[in-house]
Amino acid sequence: MIKKLSLLLLLIAFLRFGLQAQNYDEEALIQRRAAEMVSQLGDYLNYMADKNKKLSLRQRYRDKALNLFIGKGEPYKLGGREFPAVSMQTTSTNSKVVKTTPMGEYFTNLINIKYRNVSLTTTEVGKIKVNSLKKIDEDTYQCTCYIEQVFRGYGTDGRPLYGDITRKSVQCIISVEQTIDGTEYIVRLGNITATHTERI
């Protein structure tokens, strides 16, 4: 009897460990996908800012970037609630003001920025920190990616006129959907918040 009970307890512990491992693997997969989405956005931002590229191509990357976000730059619903279009916070070492701009408008401003050229780089995907998932609604989760964004603006002579590095947090919304192929995790980006900026 004691032997059977021991085997039963061992089986329960094994199943519990297996379930925890599976949950951990799924969370790690979702976190990786969120980091990849943020990294993709970083590439698109750099393309939009690069005035060596054709304007039509930079505008095309603007559209691609908006597709990464929940609502695609428009107001959206989540959990029965309505939310305004996602936004980007920007800062400057020349001012203490933190500016919050709708994402589509921010992208347009980036394309039309006054500098002769701009370099805008973001933390590499493997170095992006992602916090734990938080359930916010049925089959909907949220996490945050933490990045550093390096901005450099150049004049007509090619010399840098301004540069800064800003720490930002990127909200990520994850929807869990059941398909004929199994569980699918849909990751969309949300608001981007600036937390610290310093001159370089």
Side-chain angles (χ1 to χ4, degrees):
M1 181 67 180
I2 295 176
K3 186 175 182 181
K4 288 183 179 180
L5 182 59
S6 298
L7 288 173
L8 179 60
L9 291 174
L10 184 63
L11 178 61
I12 291 173
F14 177 77
L15 291 174
R16 182 178 297 173
F17 174 79
L19 182 60
Q20 289 175 340
Q22 181 181 2
N23 290 341
Y24 175 80
D25 289 343
E26 289 178 351
E27 180 167 1
L29 174 62
I30 294 170
Q31 290 172 321
R32 175 70 184 185
R33 287 184 180 175
E36 289 171 348
M37 291 282 284
V38 172
S39 179
Q40 184 68 74
L41 173 64
D43 291 340
Y44 288 161
L45 289 172
N46 193 36
Y47 297 154
M48 280 185 271
D50 187 356
K51 294 192 176 182
N52 292 317
K53 299 184 184 298
K54 292 182 178 179
L55 179 60
S56 59
L57 181 59
R58 294 162 65 206
Q59 290 172 334
R60 196 179 310 161
Y61 282 120
R62 176 189 181 277
D63 295 337
K64 286 178 176 289
L66 282 176
N67 285 333
L68 299 178
F69 289 86
I70 188 168
K72 300 181 179 181
E74 300 293 334
Y76 63 95
K77 288 185 178 182
L78 182 64
R81 297 173 56 196
E82 294 186 359
F83 293 87
V86 294
S87 60
M88 170 77 80
Q89 283 190 347
T90 54
T91 54
S92 169
T93 57
N94 296 328
S95 172
K96 293 183 178 180
V97 176
V98 177
K99 188 176 181 180
T100 302
T101 308
M103 201 62 63
E105 182 180 338
Y106 168 78
F107 290 160
T108 299
N109 293 342
L110 180 61
I111 291 173
N112 297 325
I113 201 163
K114 64 180 180 179
Y115 295 104
R116 174 62 184 84
N117 205 1
V118 169
S119 170
L120 190 61
T121 57
T122 305
T123 305
E124 296 177 3
V125 62
K127 297 180 180 180
I128 294 175
K129 295 181 180 179
V130 188
N131 70 358
S132 300
L133 297 182
K134 177 183 177 183
K135 189 170 184 177
I136 59 175
D137 195 28
E138 189 67 27
D139 296 327
T140 307
Y141 296 82
Q142 176 180 298
C143 66
T144 303
C145 291
Y146 300 94
I147 60 171
E148 289 188 341
Q149 200 172 68
V150 179
F151 175 94
R152 289 185 174 89
Y154 300 88
T156 54
D157 58 359
R159 294 182 180 180
L161 298 178
Y162 177 81
D164 68 30
I165 180 168
T166 303
R167 295 180 195 146
K168 293 189 173 183
S169 57
V170 185
Q171 179 189 35
C172 300
I173 310 296
I174 302 98
S175 300
V176 183
E177 297 182 4
Q178 301 299 327
T179 69
I180 57 174
D181 298 320
T183 303
E184 186 174 352
Y185 303 101
I186 310 299
V187 180
R188 291 288 180 264
L189 305 183
N191 295 319
I192 301 180
T193 306
T195 58
H196 177 76
T197 301
E198 60 186 50
R199 192 75 179 255
I200 56 174

